[in-house]
Amino acid sequence: MSDPSDPPNSDLPVDWAQHYADGDTPWDHGVEHPELAARLGAGELAVPAPGARALVPGCGRGHDALALARIGWKVTALDQVAPLEEIVNSKLHPLGGEYQLGDALAWTSASGEPEMDLVFDHTFLCAIDPEQRPRFADLVLRNLRQGGQLVCLLYPVGKLLEAGGPPHSLDAEQVGALFGDALELVEHSPAVHCIEEREHGERWGRFVRR
Ligand SMILES: C[S@@+](CC[C@H](N)C(=O)[O-])C[C@H]1O[C@@H](n2cnc3c(N)ncnc32)[C@H](O)[C@@H]1O
């Protein structure tokens, strides 16, 4: 998955670990997404209660997860790349969060109960094969409590699904279709603070679990 200028699309599975080993991670801008940073700075996504939990699947080097942890979320960050575990945990543990290694789509809390108040997606849902998207919906519905939020930094908006990926086309309509009535779209707006190099649109979509 490339950014800027996404690579020729391929149907081959992506070797994410190799991308990190090669330092070929153009989606990673070294900090949290600027839209997330601006919104957190404006007081959005405030922690609803002490100990409220956030899940960040496909967290990569954890920039977004760390930004959420810094304002007080108890963050569980998930990725399948082993060398990221130490890198992310060295910064996340002091903030009360944890990186867990494995298939994010299969993750369930230790209690088996929906304990998350927030699920934050940024270039994870667009990175997985679209056929796997129902598993993302299962992940969210297994773990997000009633009234909890799914926030998606939607990208690449406007790209055709047939154009392949990753990144595969993603927009609020596609996310909404995954969840049916289980989630309500409560906010949908263009990202004001975009990653300029990205050649497709970015939007902010916020859904609440009914
Ligand atoms: C495009 S990167 C985005 C990383 C991060 N969200 C960011 O913005 O920097 C996609 C990430 O999803 C991870 N990933 C893909 N499929 C996964 C899976 N099934 N379970 C856990 N992580 C996965 C990859 O290892 C990679 O770190």
Side-chain angles (χ1 to χ4, degrees):
M1 177 166 168
S2 195
D3 161 22
S5 43
D6 299 325
N9 294 307
S10 155
D11 288 335
L12 295 173
V14 179
D15 187 341
W16 295 103
Q18 194 62 50
H19 274 277
Y20 286 101
D22 294 345
D24 177 20
T25 55
W27 58 84
D28 182 336
H29 294 262
V31 289
E32 68 271 29
H33 191 284
E35 182 73 8
L36 176 63
R39 286 174 180 262
L40 295 184
E44 291 186 33
L45 296 187
V47 181
R53 296 186 58 184
L55 188 69
V56 183
C59 66
R61 293 193 180 91
H63 307 300
D64 299 320
L66 286 162
L68 291 168
R70 280 195 293 269
I71 67 157
W73 285 96
K74 185 171 162 52
V75 174
T76 301
L78 309 172
D79 210 293
Q80 60 189 357
V81 175
L84 294 177
E85 184 170 15
E86 193 182 333
I87 294 168
V88 178
N89 268 337
S90 67
K91 298 176 198 151
L92 202 48
H93 274 163
L95 297 170
E98 186 176 30
Y99 175 104
Q100 292 187 19
L101 178 66
D103 179 4
L105 296 169
W107 190 85
T108 304
S109 68
S111 71
E113 297 297 319
E115 295 179 344
M116 294 295 159
D117 297 278
L118 172 67
V119 178
F120 184 77
D121 172 66
H122 171 210
T123 58
F124 173 60
L125 183 52
C126 74
I128 61 174
D129 189 318
E131 287 187 5
Q132 297 289 314
R133 288 183 179 183
R135 294 186 67 209
F136 177 86
D138 290 346
L139 168 75
V140 172
L141 295 177
R142 252 194 333 272
N143 292 294
L144 188 64
R145 64 169 92 236
Q146 197 176 9
Q149 310 178 70
L150 167 66
V151 173
C152 297
L153 208 317
L154 299 159
Y155 170 81
V157 177
K159 184 176 179 180
L160 296 176
L161 204 46
E162 307 79 64
H168 299 275
S169 168
L170 190 67
D171 58 31
E173 202 178 347
Q174 292 171 32
V175 177
L178 281 178
F179 290 97
D181 289 340
L183 298 188
E184 180 185 3
L185 178 62
V186 294
E187 187 182 356
H188 184 216
S189 44
V192 175
H193 305 274
C194 294
I195 295 177
E196 287 183 7
E197 296 90 336
R198 288 189 170 166
E199 64 174 86
H200 298 283
E202 295 184 291
R203 295 182 72 91
W204 181 266
R206 191 163 65 84
F207 301 78
V208 171
R209 175 134 203 211
R210 289 194 166 99

